[in-house]
Amino acid sequence: MKERLYTAALELFAEQGYDQTSADEIAERADVARGTFFNHFPRFNHFPRKEDLIGTWGERRRERLVSIMADAFPDRTGAADRLRRCMTVLGHINEEEHDRTAAMLVAWVKAGRPLREEPYVAELFAEIVEDGRRTGELREDVIPQQVGNVLRDIYLGTLYRWFREAENEPEGRLEQELMQASELLLNGIATRPCPHPSPSDRTRRPPDPRSGTLWVEPRLRSSGDRAPLS
């Protein structure tokens, strides 16, 4: 039942806007009684409005990101490849659900979530950077949390810019910009310059992460010039 309500809410948010959607409309679209909606989303009529729906949306996106990353890479995969892949997946998720993302991004910002939520994506980036420090792939003097915050800033800044210009941008543009910006940072923190993807790699759209097919990024050797990390 909660899934039906959640799906109905996101459909309406995309069609007519977050603030313009009422509990009655969501219940009607889901074909349930109005009281049923409040059983699952009791905060709807309290400040901040519809925050439980925003929280559910954020949680599901985080779960999807973690699931894709876990399935895509074995433990021995290099940190640079994992950071690239993480950015690629984030871009794909947003472009795949453009209308829903646009509606929920506005709601997320209006509700003050960027300021109040734990910076989950930054923490995920920081964990990967710490792994790269330990293996010698990334410089020892980098501060993982600081790099994680910068990568999160790159992600959100690029996402906000894409949201404003998405109607005039070709498909795959968000993923491409995220990758280009990430490369600038990776070249600054790697113990050796990161190999740049070829022009065909930069413009080629990665396969749908749900397919289970791994998009192999250019591989990076460690500082000891050991076998390529995979």
Side-chain angles (χ1 to χ4, degrees):
M1 186 64 68
K2 185 172 183 178
E3 183 64 29
R4 284 168 56 189
L5 287 163
Y6 174 76
T7 300
L10 262 61
E11 289 175 354
L12 287 166
F13 294 160
E15 292 170 12
Q16 60 192 36
Y18 178 79
D19 288 334
Q20 289 71 38
T21 300
S22 68
D24 288 335
E25 289 173 316
I26 295 173
E28 182 178 357
R29 174 67 65 92
D31 194 24
V32 300
R34 187 172 188 268
T36 303
F37 179 91
F38 290 107
N39 288 337
H40 292 284
F41 299 100
R43 283 179 162 184
F44 193 95
N45 276 350
H46 298 84
F47 180 83
R49 291 184 68 226
K50 292 170 274 194
E51 187 168 336
D52 280 357
L53 285 165
I54 300 173
T56 300
W57 174 73
E59 288 169 9
R60 293 193 178 196
R61 285 162 65 90
R62 287 192 292 271
E63 289 170 0
R64 185 178 177 195
L65 173 63
V66 170
S67 176
I68 292 172
M69 291 295 291
D71 291 343
F73 285 129
D75 292 340
R76 293 179 56 200
T77 303
D81 281 345
R82 288 162 63 197
L83 289 171
R84 291 187 183 106
R85 178 59 169 174
C86 193
M87 280 294 192
T88 299
V89 172
L90 287 168
H92 180 85
I93 289 173
N94 284 291
E95 289 197 297
E96 180 185 52
E97 300 180 346
H98 170 267
D99 291 342
R100 291 185 180 185
T101 296
M104 294 306 293
L105 187 61
V106 170
W108 186 66
V109 172
K110 282 185 175 181
R113 287 293 185 121
L115 299 177
R116 295 188 291 109
E117 281 187 350
E118 291 295 321
Y120 176 79
V121 173
E123 293 169 0
L124 178 59
F125 286 140
E127 290 175 7
I128 297 173
V129 172
E130 178 59 38
D131 288 344
R133 276 205 327 172
R134 283 199 304 267
T135 62
E137 182 182 358
L138 304 181
R139 286 170 24 198
E140 292 184 359
D141 61 338
V142 300
I143 303 172
Q145 191 59 54
Q146 186 177 58
V147 177
N149 287 333
V150 172
L151 284 167
R152 180 178 183 262
D153 291 345
I154 289 173
Y155 165 58
L156 290 179
T158 306
L159 180 62
Y160 295 152
R161 194 164 51 251
W162 167 81
F163 167 68
R164 292 197 307 269
E165 304 167 357
E167 291 184 2
N168 301 318
E169 294 287 355
E171 186 178 1
R173 181 64 177 177
L174 177 60
E175 293 177 23
Q176 183 180 355
E177 286 199 17
L178 286 171
M179 286 297 297
Q180 290 171 341
S182 300
E183 288 300 324
L184 293 175
L185 182 61
L186 284 172
N187 281 323
I189 66 174
T191 51
R192 302 184 127 208
C194 291
H196 290 284
S198 67
S200 61
D201 285 334
R202 287 197 297 267
T203 57
R204 176 168 55 89
R205 181 177 178 81
D208 188 334
R210 296 171 299 178
S211 68
T213 303
L214 175 62
W215 183 39
V216 180
E217 300 281 0
R219 292 181 177 176
L220 183 72
R221 289 183 183 270
S222 70
S223 59
D225 201 29
R226 295 187 293 269
L229 297 172
S230 59

